[in-house]
Amino acid sequence: MRNPSPGVSSPHGRTGRPRSAAADTAILAATRDALVELGWSKLTMGDVSARAGVAKTTLYRRWAGKNELVVDAVAELFDELELPDRGSLEADIEDVVLQFARLLRRPEARTALMAVVAESTRDEALRDRIRSAIVDRQKRLVVLGRERAQARGELPPEEDAALARHTTDLIFDVIAGTVVHRALVSCEPVDELWAGAFTALLMHGLQGATAR
């Protein structure tokens, strides 16, 4: 199930005419297109409003500025990731790794993600927004995968909630960090052979950790 982007959900306490989902979709798509063509430094709210066919005031009613808008444009892409039940934890992980790799091959995803990550090194508020809008939301895939694996008996249940959160964070960091580095830094293919080898290595670590 996809989660709504913070920029797409209706602001609490705001009254008046409901927001248009079609306008939000057009704005976020226009933001990604503009990023690919112009890059972060040249992108303006005016560029986005012109491409989306909306007034600049419409943008500012939804997003305070470029940082928030671009993060939500990236988050919308990441919300496309799903975790189909393939029958085993190993198959589930391999499936989402390949999905993630396909997403990162799309110019709008690759450019937008690299832009916000680079800009966030100088902007703490932007880092926080990336964490809440993208990272924390996508951890749902790890939580779901582990719950399924525990229900199948592949992993033991964890009674300690704090330890479970720590494990979720670690698994997410390993998968997301490795795939991003492979695809965007090393510029090497993330194909079925690589995904299978990576998943086997991760499974060995997970099963080894639960055996201790």
Side-chain angles (χ1 to χ4, degrees):
M1 174 191 251
R2 290 180 55 180
N3 295 313
S5 170
V8 174
S9 60
S10 297
H12 294 297
R14 178 174 292 178
T15 59
R17 188 171 57 187
R19 288 177 54 164
S20 165
D24 288 337
T25 298
I27 290 167
L28 296 175
T31 302
R32 294 188 293 267
D33 290 344
L35 264 176
V36 172
E37 292 185 27
L38 304 174
W40 177 279
S41 62
K42 294 182 179 179
L43 175 68
T44 68
M45 298 290 271
D47 293 318
V48 174
S49 68
R51 288 167 185 262
V54 300
K56 266 200 290 189
T57 52
T58 300
L59 289 188
Y60 283 109
R61 281 199 299 268
R62 290 158 162 78
W63 293 276
K66 181 169 77 171
N67 288 5
E68 293 84 354
L69 175 59
V70 173
V71 170
D72 285 359
V74 177
E76 185 180 57
L77 290 179
F78 277 72
D79 283 342
E80 295 177 11
L81 296 174
E82 297 178 344
L83 190 66
D85 191 343
R86 299 288 301 277
S88 71
L89 178 59
E90 186 167 4
D92 288 353
I93 293 173
E94 188 170 344
D95 187 281
V96 81
V97 164
L98 290 171
Q99 279 188 64
F100 189 26
R102 286 193 296 271
L103 176 62
L104 293 177
R105 285 197 291 270
R106 292 163 57 177
E108 68 273 25
R110 181 171 62 248
T111 302
L113 180 61
M114 295 291 274
V116 296
V117 169
E119 188 65 21
S120 71
T121 62
R122 301 182 292 273
D123 188 332
E124 184 175 353
L126 182 57
R127 286 198 300 275
D128 290 341
R129 191 171 182 88
I130 291 170
R131 186 179 302 112
S132 62
I134 301 175
V135 175
D136 289 346
R137 287 228 302 268
Q138 295 312 311
K139 287 178 183 176
R140 65 191 167 83
L141 300 174
V142 178
V143 172
L144 177 58
R146 295 181 71 230
E147 287 175 349
R148 286 179 181 168
Q150 288 165 351
R152 296 185 194 113
E154 295 174 287
L155 294 175
E158 283 185 327
E159 304 297 334
D160 188 325
L163 180 58
R165 286 193 299 271
H166 174 76
T167 303
T168 294
D169 290 347
L170 182 58
I171 294 170
F172 180 87
D173 289 345
V174 168
I175 295 175
T178 303
V179 176
V180 167
H181 188 278
R182 173 84 178 177
L184 301 186
V185 180
S186 298
C187 297
E188 296 288 344
V190 180
D191 52 20
E192 291 187 5
L193 181 63
W194 184 90
F198 169 67
T199 301
L201 182 64
L202 183 60
M203 286 295 298
H204 178 74
L206 285 171
Q207 292 166 343
T210 57
R212 290 199 300 269

